[in-house]
Amino acid sequence: MRDVFIWFNQYFSRDWAVFFTSWLPFIELRGAIPLGISLGISPVKVFLLGVIGNAVPVIPLLFLLNPVREFLITHSRLMARFFTWLYERTIRKSDKVEKYGALGLIL
């Protein structure tokens, strides 16, 4: 993880390094916030850059997830079986979400 921080800090400004670090799936805010504070950016600014940066990749994912799923289902029997299994599992577990709300979603 340290190498990622060094690379971002080498090629981007401090603010952009925090912003792009928060995009990374396994680092996200857990890494972006310490990075920004260690670079001397104010904690409030680090928090805002990290949260906004963390939300940016979600937008394309929301628009592309269904078309990619449809493509995979139509072109691969393995993917069709996987998504059928995932859908059935989701429906089986949905009673907890309906019964307990947010707590059920966490469970």
Side-chain angles (χ1 to χ4, degrees), residues 27-104:
I27 298 175
E28 296 177 338
L29 294 174
R30 292 178 297 262
I33 290 174
L35 172 65
I37 291 173
S38 71
L39 292 174
I41 304 172
S42 74
V44 173
K45 187 174 182 180
V46 168
F47 178 76
L48 292 174
L49 285 169
V51 169
I52 292 168
N54 196 249
V56 168
V58 172
I59 297 165
L61 285 173
L62 289 175
F63 287 109
L64 295 175
L65 194 58
N66 200 38
V68 169
R69 182 184 64 84
E70 290 296 326
F71 174 80
L72 290 173
I73 287 172
T74 58
H75 288 82
S76 169
R77 280 189 280 186
L78 179 64
M79 286 291 114
R81 285 192 353 225
F82 169 73
F83 283 110
T84 300
W85 170 82
L86 184 64
Y87 176 76
E88 289 171 355
R89 183 177 186 275
T90 303
I91 294 302
R92 259 194 336 267
K93 305 280 183 172
S94 66
D95 60 331
K96 291 179 185 172
V97 176
E98 291 175 13
K99 184 175 180 181
Y100 299 110
L103 182 60

Side-chain angles (χ1 to χ4, degrees), residues 12-21 39 41 45-46 49-50:
F12 297 105
S13 71
R14 296 178 314 163
D15 294 346
W16 285 110
V18 171
F19 182 77
F20 287 127
T21 301
L39 292 174
I41 304 172
K45 187 174 182 180
V46 168
L49 285 169

